[in-house]
Amino acid sequence: MHEIGFFEGSIDENTPCHPVTPYGIAKNALHELCNMLCKKNGVKLQWLRGYYTVGNTRYGNSIFSKLFAAAEDGQAKFPFIMGQNQYDFVDYADFCHNVAVAVSQETVLGTIEIASGRPKKLADRVERFIRENSLDIKLEYGAFPDRPYDSKDIWGNSKKIDEILGKG
């Protein structure tokens, strides 16, 4: 969802994009190009927009991967921000399932938010991750300042994925 840029609230396919990072700018350009080419050639498009995926592997760049690696490496403390921002977290297995189900159907098209539709505080989700994985590590709150370009409260509108999954 980095093609959106700084935004607060629920994101859906009609949310305007104003990316602020090179990665977000590239994703937005790719999304626009795909839309243009599909319309021009009469091709159906699904753009699956992922949110904060939670997995328990040390590989990757997410806060969860870094935390898992730090715990495996025997670190007692993990430097952290205050963690009060709210994001949309999707467990890795659910994310994979939702993607598989979404691409296996042709009824719901366009931009599909692979999201829970519910924002959660980052600190709460990270503490839960530590408990779920029995990690022997403590968060060092306030070790880093919040980044000014991070949205304070952002989540995906899960209406389309819920429809695909038969929930709505």
Side-chain angles (χ1 to χ4, degrees):
M1 42 71 60
H2 293 282
E3 72 264 22
I4 296 296
F6 186 87
F7 184 82
E8 293 191 7
S10 179
I11 294 173
D12 66 17
E13 64 190 330
N14 299 309
T15 302
C17 294
H18 303 288
V20 295
T21 64
Y23 178 69
I25 291 166
K27 280 188 70 179
N28 189 50
L30 178 62
H31 187 191
E32 290 177 2
L33 178 62
C34 288
N35 274 327
M36 180 186 74
L37 291 173
C38 287
K39 284 178 186 174
K40 179 181 176 185
N41 295 299
V43 174
K44 295 177 182 178
L45 174 69
Q46 291 180 329
W47 181 266
L48 306 182
R49 187 181 286 146
Y51 286 76
Y52 295 92
T53 307
V54 180
N56 60 351
T57 175
R58 70 179 300 129
Y59 305 104
N61 288 322
S62 77
I63 184 72
F64 303 102
S65 297
K66 291 175 182 179
L67 185 62
F68 201 81
E72 280 188 338
D73 292 344
Q75 294 181 24
K77 292 184 179 180
F78 187 83
F80 195 56
I81 61 175
M82 293 306 292
Q84 297 304 298
N85 293 5
Q86 295 192 102
Y87 302 116
D88 196 320
F89 299 100
V90 181
D91 289 331
Y92 182 74
D94 293 335
F95 178 84
C96 293
H97 173 76
N98 292 356
V99 168
V101 173
V103 301
S104 298
Q105 56 84 45
E106 296 181 13
T107 305
V108 180
L109 302 173
T111 302
I112 301 167
E113 314 300 325
I114 305 297
S116 72
R118 296 175 309 277
K120 304 272 188 214
K121 283 186 183 177
L122 175 61
D124 293 345
R125 186 60 186 98
V126 170
E127 292 281 3
R128 182 175 136 206
F129 178 83
I130 291 170
R131 287 189 309 274
E132 288 172 343
N133 291 281
S134 303
L135 302 180
D136 187 20
I137 196 164
K138 299 285 184 221
L139 296 177
E140 187 180 352
Y141 285 100
F144 296 115
D146 288 341
R147 300 181 304 194
Y149 55 85
D150 282 341
S151 302
K152 304 298 181 226
D153 299 293
I154 189 167
W155 64 96
N157 181 323
S158 62
K159 181 181 177 186
K160 281 188 165 183
I161 193 65
D162 288 345
E163 179 183 340
I164 291 167
L165 296 169
K167 294 180 181 179

